[in-house]
């Protein structure tokens, strides 16, 4: 939320104070969690599915692949009420 201050309002973290002196691993994990929450909130807000299309995934770094994995496998987007479609291409 330090990069995008209004994101905290969108995903419901507006009152939570974050430690900005944390290490990179914790920052990456927090960013992945915020990405999952953001997609979940946006997907629940619309009747039509939200689509995320990523092209040229062969050039993605390990942090980006980890974020996509977290989003698809551990982000809570597999429930019936979430309208989310992911399409990745190599």
């Amino acid at each position: 939320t330090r990069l995008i201050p209004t994101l905290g309002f969108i995903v419901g973290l507006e009152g939570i104070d974050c430690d900005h002196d944390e290490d990179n691993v914790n920052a990456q994990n927090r960013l992945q969690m915020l990405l999952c929450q953001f997609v979940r909130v946006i997907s629940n807000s619309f009747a039509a599915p939200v689509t995320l299309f990523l092209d040229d995934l062969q050039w993605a770094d390990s942090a980006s692949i980890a974020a996509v994995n977290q989003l698809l496998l551990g982000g809570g987007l597999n429930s019936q009420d979430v309208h989310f479609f992911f399409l990745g291409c190599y």
Side-chain angles (χ1 to χ4, degrees):
T1 57
R2 184 171 65 173
L3 295 174
I4 308 171
T6 55
L7 184 61
F9 176 74
I10 293 171
V11 298
L13 298 175
E14 62 270 7
I16 298 175
D17 186 32
C18 298
D19 180 20
H20 297 296
D21 294 328
E22 64 188 346
D23 61 355
N24 290 336
V25 174
N26 287 335
Q28 182 177 352
N29 290 338
R30 195 174 79 235
L31 183 61
Q32 289 176 1
M33 180 198 68
L34 286 173
L35 175 66
C36 292
Q37 285 183 323
F38 178 73
V39 171
R40 191 176 316 115
V41 167
I42 296 299
S43 298
N44 286 332
S45 300
F46 299 102
V50 172
T51 302
L52 175 62
F53 173 72
L54 297 178
D55 195 10
D56 293 331
L57 285 174
Q58 74 272 15
W59 302 113
D61 62 346
S62 60
S64 299
I65 295 296
V68 169
N69 282 335
Q70 178 67 27
L71 181 65
L72 297 177
L73 302 176
L77 296 175
N78 52 2
S79 67
Q80 296 282 341
D81 59 341
V82 176
H83 304 103
F84 177 72
F85 180 73
F86 173 80
L87 179 61
C89 295
Y90 280 89

